[in-house]
Structures are given as structure tokens and as C-alpha cells.
Amino acid sequence: MSPVRRGTELPIRNRLPVLRAERGMSRADLAEAVEVNPQTIGALERGDHYPSLDLAFRICAVFGLPVEAVFSRASFSGEAEREGDA
């Protein structure tokens, strides 16, 4: 399964690293749960690729969250502050 290439406008942000950390999951754990390569999870987390709708739903099912709690066009609360600290 190939991830969708990212666009330059209106990026899709995600909370995958935070959600994985909260649950003690590695990239490999999440990848196995949604049947993709760990490299795919890394690419999604970096914003290099966007998930297909099917993959987004499978990821959300793993975390038991709605799509808008995992993926967003807008920054998640606190994200802008962290980016400013970098």
C-alpha cells in the first residue's frame, strides 16, 4: 500500500507520535496493527506523506479516536508553541 504524497498547501497534521507515546507503542507496533511498513508510519509522522482514507480510518481505530482527533488541517493545540521553541 502506497501512501499519498503530501501537498504544499493546507498540510495535514497528525498526532501520531504523541498518541503512540501515550500508549507505549513503537512505530513498528502501529505499523503492524494497521498492516503497513514502519517506514510508512515514519513518513506519515514527518509529514512526508499523507494517509489514504482507508489507512487513516485504520489508524484511528487502533487509537479508538475519531479522525479529527488524530488528523487536522490546523495545528493541534500547543503545536505552534513547540514549533516556536525549536
Side-chain angles (χ1 to χ4, degrees):
M1 181 175 307
S2 175
V4 178
R5 291 184 185 265
R6 75 182 188 104
T8 56
E9 294 184 26
L10 295 175
I12 297 174
R13 294 166 170 37
N14 68 72
R15 297 180 54 225
L16 296 179
V18 171
L19 295 170
R20 284 192 309 97
E22 288 175 354
R23 289 158 177 80
M25 295 179 79
S26 67
R27 285 180 178 170
D29 294 335
L30 180 56
E32 183 178 337
V34 297
E35 300 178 339
V36 297
N37 292 320
Q39 294 84 356
T40 299
I41 301 301
L44 293 172
E45 289 182 357
R46 289 188 306 274
D48 291 342
H49 293 283
Y50 295 152
S52 66
L53 185 56
D54 176 66
L55 179 55
F57 282 136
R58 286 187 282 145
I59 289 169
C60 292
V62 167
F63 295 119
L65 295 170
V67 171
E68 58 273 7
V70 181
F71 300 97
S72 177
R73 291 272 189 202
S75 295
F76 287 98
S77 121
E79 185 177 272
E81 293 85 6
R82 286 192 304 274
E83 289 174 355
D85 293 340

